């Protein structure tokens, strides 16, 4: 559970949570040589729109009001971020690398419980992937999300797939190996998946696609995925202490 029951209470907690997340991100950026992106707290009007669009039953299903992201060059750098969280004794869930089947977008998500009890979402992207999202992919995604025309949605999703397939092809080969070159998970790739997401947690249950999220920028809730997602990673035991987002 999270320590709020109203959106007003959530936004009272959010500034301290975001500030702590920024301190963590900036420290790891310096120590690990990765870039940290701090977009600040999600705007309240965006949160209210999301509550309606997603049909959440409880406001505590929101986990991305405090949010941030890391840009990495290699899958090993991403593992280093997870190792740093563990070494610091932080309470977190690593959802592993995921790929949206409809669009091909790839990222790795971590839910982190901050000192005031609020959950924050951290996304990890390869440099080519976040560049593709910033320059073209996000605009295509936003347009597809607002469309009611199935043909237009299919066309926009295919354009995203082309953009993100190209970005994945320019990413670390270890990351490419998790998913292969098609829009389906790479069959028989469990060994590669475990290598690229090594030392994530003592618990080794496969990441559930139910806990993955839609592509927002950055920090999409782990609840109510918009479309199927292939996953590569393992969870910590933290989900057992989290509220079921279903």
């Amino acid at each position: 559970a999270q320590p709020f029951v109203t959106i007003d209470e959530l936004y009272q907690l959010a500034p301290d949570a975001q500030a702590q997340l920024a301190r963590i991100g900036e420290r790891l950026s310096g120590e690990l040589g990765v870039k940290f992106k701090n977009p600040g707290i999600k705007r309240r009007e965006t949160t209210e729109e999301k509550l309606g669009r997603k049909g959440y039953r409880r406001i505590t299903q929101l986990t991305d009001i405090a949010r941030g992201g890391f840009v990495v060059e290699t899958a090993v750098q991403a593992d280093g971020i997870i190792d740093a969280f563990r070494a610091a004794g932080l309470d977190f869930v690593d959802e592993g690398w995921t790929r949206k089947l409809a669009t091909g977008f790839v990222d790795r998500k971590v839910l982190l419980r901050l000192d005031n009890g609020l959950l924050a979402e951290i996304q990890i992207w390869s440099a080519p992937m976040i560049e593709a999202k910033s320059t073209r992919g996000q605009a295509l995604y936003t347009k597809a999300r607002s469309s009611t025309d199935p043909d237009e949605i299919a066309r926009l999703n295919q354009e995203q797939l082309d953009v993100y397939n190209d970005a994945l092809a320019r990413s670390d080969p270890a990351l490419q190996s998790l998913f292969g070159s098609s829009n389906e998970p790479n069959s028989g790739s469990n060994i590669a998946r475990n290598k690229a997401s090594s030392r994530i947690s003592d618990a080794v249950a496969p990441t559930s696609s139910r806990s993955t999220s839609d592509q927002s920028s950055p920090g999409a809730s782990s609840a109510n995925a918009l479309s199927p997602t292939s996953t590569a990673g393992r969870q910590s035991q933290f989900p057992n202490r989290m509220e079921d987002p279903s």
Side-chain angles (χ1 to χ4, degrees):
Q2 297 196 72
F4 59 86
V5 294
T6 69
I7 196 167
D8 288 337
E9 291 172 342
L10 168 58
Y11 273 87
Q12 288 171 1
L13 294 167
D16 285 346
Q18 186 70 34
Q20 183 187 1
L21 180 59
R23 290 192 297 272
I24 293 170
E26 289 161 5
R27 177 174 61 82
L28 293 185
S29 177
E31 292 177 358
L32 303 177
V34 296
K35 183 177 181 180
F36 179 68
K37 287 182 171 286
N38 178 12
I41 297 166
K42 179 171 284 188
R43 293 183 304 171
R44 180 162 176 159
E45 55 266 34
T46 304
T47 298
E48 291 172 343
E49 183 275 333
K50 181 175 182 176
L51 283 168
R53 171 168 51 85
K54 291 296 199 90
Y56 286 167
R57 297 197 303 267
R58 298 179 299 276
I59 194 171
T60 50
Q61 289 176 255
L62 292 166
T63 60
D64 64 338
I65 307 309
R67 69 262 174 88
F70 291 96
V71 182
V72 299
E73 297 296 334
T74 67
V76 170
Q77 284 184 323
D79 288 341
I81 294 167
I82 304 304
D83 287 342
F85 288 163
R86 182 176 298 104
L90 299 175
D91 198 7
F92 69 93
V93 179
D94 175 21
E95 296 184 353
W97 289 103
T98 65
R99 187 184 193 194
K100 288 289 295 287
L101 296 183
T103 65
F105 183 74
V106 173
D107 68 355
R108 184 170 179 172
K109 291 186 177 66
V110 180
L111 293 182
L112 177 65
R113 190 181 295 280
L114 297 166
D115 287 348
N116 64 6
L118 204 67
L119 294 177
E121 183 179 271
I122 297 169
Q123 291 178 293
I124 305 174
W125 315 278
S126 73
M129 192 65 59
I130 191 59
E131 179 186 15
K133 178 179 178 179
S134 300
T135 57
R136 191 175 176 204
Q138 182 65 34
L140 292 169
Y141 169 76
T142 301
K143 189 172 181 179
R145 191 179 70 183
S146 62
S147 177
T148 58
D149 181 347
D151 291 337
E152 181 183 38
I153 293 170
R155 177 181 58 79
L156 292 167
N157 283 346
Q158 182 59 53
E159 289 186 44
Q160 291 179 78
L161 189 58
D162 293 340
V163 167
Y164 291 132
N165 277 347
D166 176 72
L168 183 59
R170 293 183 286 111
S171 298
D172 179 18
L175 183 55
Q176 296 176 40
S177 71
L178 301 181
F179 302 105
S181 59
S182 71
N183 195 36
E184 295 297 333
N186 191 23
S187 62
S189 63
N190 288 338
I191 293 176
R193 294 179 185 193
N194 289 337
K195 284 176 65 179
S197 58
S198 61
R199 304 183 308 281
I200 291 174
S201 172
D202 293 334
V204 294
T207 301
S208 167
S209 61
R210 185 174 60 85
S211 68
T212 57
S213 68
D214 67 322
Q215 178 202 344
S216 62
S217 176
S221 169
S222 65
N224 296 355
L226 290 180
S227 64
T229 312
S230 63
T231 65
R234 293 174 289 168
Q235 293 177 313
S236 81
Q237 296 177 4
F238 179 44
N240 295 329
R241 301 198 298 277
M242 288 177 59
E243 189 172 303
D244 183 355
S246 63

